[in-house]
């Protein structure tokens, strides 16, 4: 299947051509681990997971890297100001490295709750200082960077493509940046590769001096190159990463390596909350725990995100989350009914088998068209409504529809995996359920109501829903 994606760099939808046939290498900007990521951050990470799942479902071998930023990301994403981690550590009166540990653990637990497939590497910036120093030295050597005391800056005037990704023009940046006075820089648009500050807690002795720490952008250039090579397929982030972060990564990596860094740049729009920005003062910066407290699973949030296209703004309200939860429950319920129908063995209608094929084509076409997840989900509902309306419960139709739901689940991540049946003392296998239902029919025929009730209770405790219909007893798991 031909996949097509919007490339932020060319500003066009392009056919996807991997560098190595059948393989995809991708890098995603991960969290700055100073606070537990909020649901907005998870929109960006769910987008990375969507790409991973799509490539795997369509037969690609994927190498996926997501970094953890544990140093060098300054407040305001700029070259001046306090490090986000150190500012948080000062507020909490703890060691910044302690925050790194705590937040990283929360992050991994959240990814797991969201059903995100683990990336192949989660490198931490602080573990890659030597790799960053190597690139910075190459940039100095090639005349793209200059030292001022123990600081090192990238000279944007040496890289004519600077501004290509974001559409910023260096002259305009200079005009706009005049207020930020930094006498050390040759041009206001130059950015820091390495900074020196004896007061910094997270610091390293290198060839540039005793008390240094990296600029935020060089971290991703170094980690991406280490795990994916100098030239790889896809780099993603949220829309705020376009400038300055990714613009600066391109400049550093391409100037140092004298070749294209990334073929395809992809960015997801921000999640909005109550139609606006999330902010502490509005009290609407939510974590997955806040959702759980109100009875929503991380998978409901995942579904809310999938119902929007990654390049459109998605709004979060409790009402929208409730509707996402209901919709997802409808799909899960439909799946249980299909499973029950398959066991029931009713006859098929060729017309409904055709409807499943059409739905599968619509689903795949939507995904291939720059990841149109809302249309892909709509294709599933169209089929559901058609089959449910027609009262269709044929075995073959159910099997085909279930295969489509399995495929959709692999691509989108729709159904929360159920707990391991062996851990649940009440769990029953399909065969045990069938046997109990048969026994119930017998005891009812013999008017042994006590035993019949006992069986119904046991089935209920195991989450089995019975439906007595004209064509016999049907069952599904709740
Ligand atoms: P940070 O922890 O600030 O480095 O951000 C981690 C990732 O979350 C980056 O890719 C950001 O672009 C992304 N991000 C931050 N806020 C939002 C939001 N409201 N919606 C979507 N992505 C976001
Ligand atoms: Zn990054």
């Amino acid at each position: 299947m031909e996949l097509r994606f919007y490339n932020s760099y060319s500003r066009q939808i392009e056919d996807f051509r991997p560098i190595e046939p059948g393989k995809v290498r991708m890098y995603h900007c991960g969290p700055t681990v100073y606070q537990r990521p909020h649901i907005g951050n998870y929109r960006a990470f769910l987008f990375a997971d969507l790409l991973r799942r799509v490539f795997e479902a369509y037969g690609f071998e994927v190498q996926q890297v997501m970094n953890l930023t544990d140093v060098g990301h300054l407040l305001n994403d700029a070259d001046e100001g306090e490090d986000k981690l150190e500012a948080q550590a000062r507020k909490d009166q703890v060691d910044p490295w302690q925050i790194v540990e705590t937040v990283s653990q929360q992050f991994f637990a959240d990814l797991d709750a969201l059903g995100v497939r683990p990336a192949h590497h989660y490198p931490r910036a602080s573990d890659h200082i030597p790799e960053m120093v190597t690139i910075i030295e190459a940039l100095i050597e090639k005349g793209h960077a200059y030292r001022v005391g123990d600081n090192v800056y990238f000279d944007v005037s040496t890289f004519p493509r600077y501004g290509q990704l974001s559409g910023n023009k260096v002259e305009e940046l200079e005009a706009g940046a005049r207020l930020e006075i930094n006498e050390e820089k040759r041009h206001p648009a130059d950015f820091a590769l390495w900074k020196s500050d004896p007061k910094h807690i997270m610091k390293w002795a290198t060839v540039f001096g005793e008390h240094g720490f990296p600029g935020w952008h060089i971290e991703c250039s170094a980690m991406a190159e280490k795990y994916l090579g100098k030239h790889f397929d896809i780099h993603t982030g949220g829309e705020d990463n376009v400038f300055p972060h990714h613009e600066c990564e391109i400049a550093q990596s391409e100037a140092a390596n004298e070749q294209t860094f990334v073929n395809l740049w992809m960015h997801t729009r921000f999640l909005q909350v109550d139609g606006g920005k999330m902010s502490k003062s509005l009290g609407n910066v939510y974590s997955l725990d806040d959702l759980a407290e109100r009875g929503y699973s991380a998978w409901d949030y995942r579904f809310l995100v999938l119902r929007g296209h990654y390049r459109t703004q998605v709004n979060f309200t409790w009402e929208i989350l409730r509707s996402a939860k209901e919709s997802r429950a409808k799909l899960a319920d439909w799946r249980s009914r299909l499973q029950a129908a398959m066991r029931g063995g009713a006859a098929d209608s060729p017309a409904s088998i055709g409807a499943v094929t059409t739905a599968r084509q619509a689903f795949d076409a939507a995904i291939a068209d720059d990841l149109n997840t809302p249309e892909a989900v709509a294709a599933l509902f169209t089929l559901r409504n058609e089959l449910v309306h027609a009262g269709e419960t044929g075995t073959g139709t159910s099997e085909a529809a279930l295969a489509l739901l399995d495929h959709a689940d692999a691509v989108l991540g729709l159904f929360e995996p159920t707990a391991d049946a062996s851990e649940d003392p009440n769990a029953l296998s399909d065969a045990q359920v069938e046997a109990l239902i048969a026994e119930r029919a017998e005891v009812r025929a013999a008017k042994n109501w006590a035993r019949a009730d006992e069986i119904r209770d046991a089935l209920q405790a195991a989450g089995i829903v019975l439906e007595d219909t004209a064509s016999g007893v049907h069952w599904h798991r709740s």
Side-chain angles (χ1 to χ4, degrees), residues 291-307 316-334 377 381 384 414-416:
L291 273 47
E293 261 170 37
R294 298 224 198 172
Y296 294 102
S297 123
W299 287 72
D300 296 325
Y301 175 65
R302 182 184 177 99
F303 194 64
L304 178 151
V305 169
L306 287 168
R307 290 205 304 180
F316 175 94
T317 64
W318 292 108
E319 183 52 31
I320 295 170
L321 184 60
R322 190 182 58 77
S323 125
K325 181 187 169 107
E326 281 173 10
S327 246
R328 199 174 74 85
K330 273 187 196 163
L331 282 182
D333 181 64
W334 178 39
V377 169
F381 275 100
R384 171 187 173 273
L414 298 172
F415 307 116
E416 206 162 341

Side-chain angles (χ1 to χ4, degrees), residues 6 45 50 57 67 74 82 114 137 238 240 270 284 426 445 465:
Y6 180 82
F45 308 147
L50 174 65
N67 75 292
L74 307 186
E82 206 173 357
L114 283 162
E137 285 186 301
D240 62 328
F270 262 25
N284 64 3
N426 291 324
V465 180

Side-chain angles (χ1 to χ4, degrees), residues 93-163:
Q93 298 194 312
V94 293
D95 184 76
W97 297 113
Q98 183 54 49
I99 297 181
V100 171
E101 286 311 318
T102 311
V103 173
S104 303
Q105 277 171 24
Q106 287 169 333
F107 168 65
F108 289 122
D110 282 350
L111 288 187
D112 191 47
L114 283 162
V116 168
R117 292 190 182 163
H120 302 88
H121 300 279
Y122 289 102
R124 283 187 186 183
S126 61
D127 289 335
H128 297 79
I129 301 296
E131 287 85 349
M132 297 175 207
V133 169
T134 302
I135 301 177
I136 298 170
E137 285 186 301
L139 288 170
I140 296 174
E141 167 99 19
K142 293 183 184 193
H144 291 291
Y146 56 95
R147 281 183 71 166
V148 183
D150 291 350
N151 296 336
V152 188
Y153 295 99
F154 187 93
D155 181 343
V156 296
S157 71
T158 67
F159 189 75
R161 289 192 298 285
Y162 191 79

Side-chain angles (χ1 to χ4, degrees), residues 27 29 67 220 245 249:
Y27 183 93
C29 285
N67 75 292
C220 286
H245 190 48
E249 275 188 54

Side-chain angles (χ1 to χ4, degrees), residues 27-30 67 69 216-217 219-221 223 235-236 241 245-246 249:
Y27 183 93
H28 317 284
C29 285
N67 75 292
T69 301
W216 174 35
H217 320 309
E219 300 177 351
C220 286
S221 281
M223 289 183 275
H235 195 316
T236 76
N241 287 154
H245 190 48
H246 291 166
E249 275 188 54

